[in-house]
Amino acid sequence: MIANADVERYREKGYICVPSLLPPKELAEIVNTANEVMAGARELDRSDDVLDLDDTHTRAQPLVRRIKNPNQHHEVFQRLTANQRILD
């Protein structure tokens, strides 16, 4: 499914993009879920078990660096980690 150049890019950059790997409906569900989880940052003053917040984060201007272990916090991310298209 991916070319040798993709493997090299992954080794260099730590990620690759495979266009059209997931259908638009599935991508929308993932994005919506990520946005829903990150919306919780408006209730936080500091990072917690779910969200890693930037040093400049405030409740008024939330800034999330990452969702920690997303597959442990939402079924959508759990399904994504087990998606055969990604694993292949």
Side-chain angles (χ1 to χ4, degrees), residues 13-59:
K13 305 282 186 179
Y15 70 93
I16 60 170
C17 180
V18 181
S20 303
L21 179 68
L22 299 174
K25 183 178 179 181
E26 206 168 319
L27 283 175
E29 181 182 35
I30 294 164
V31 170
N32 290 338
T33 300
N35 288 337
E36 179 183 304
V37 172
M38 291 188 300
R42 290 193 176 277
E43 300 173 18
L44 299 175
D45 293 315
R46 63 182 62 94
S47 298
D48 65 5
D49 291 342
V50 179
L51 297 174
D52 181 22
L53 304 176
D54 189 82
D55 293 338
T56 62
H57 164 84
T58 65
R59 289 181 183 217

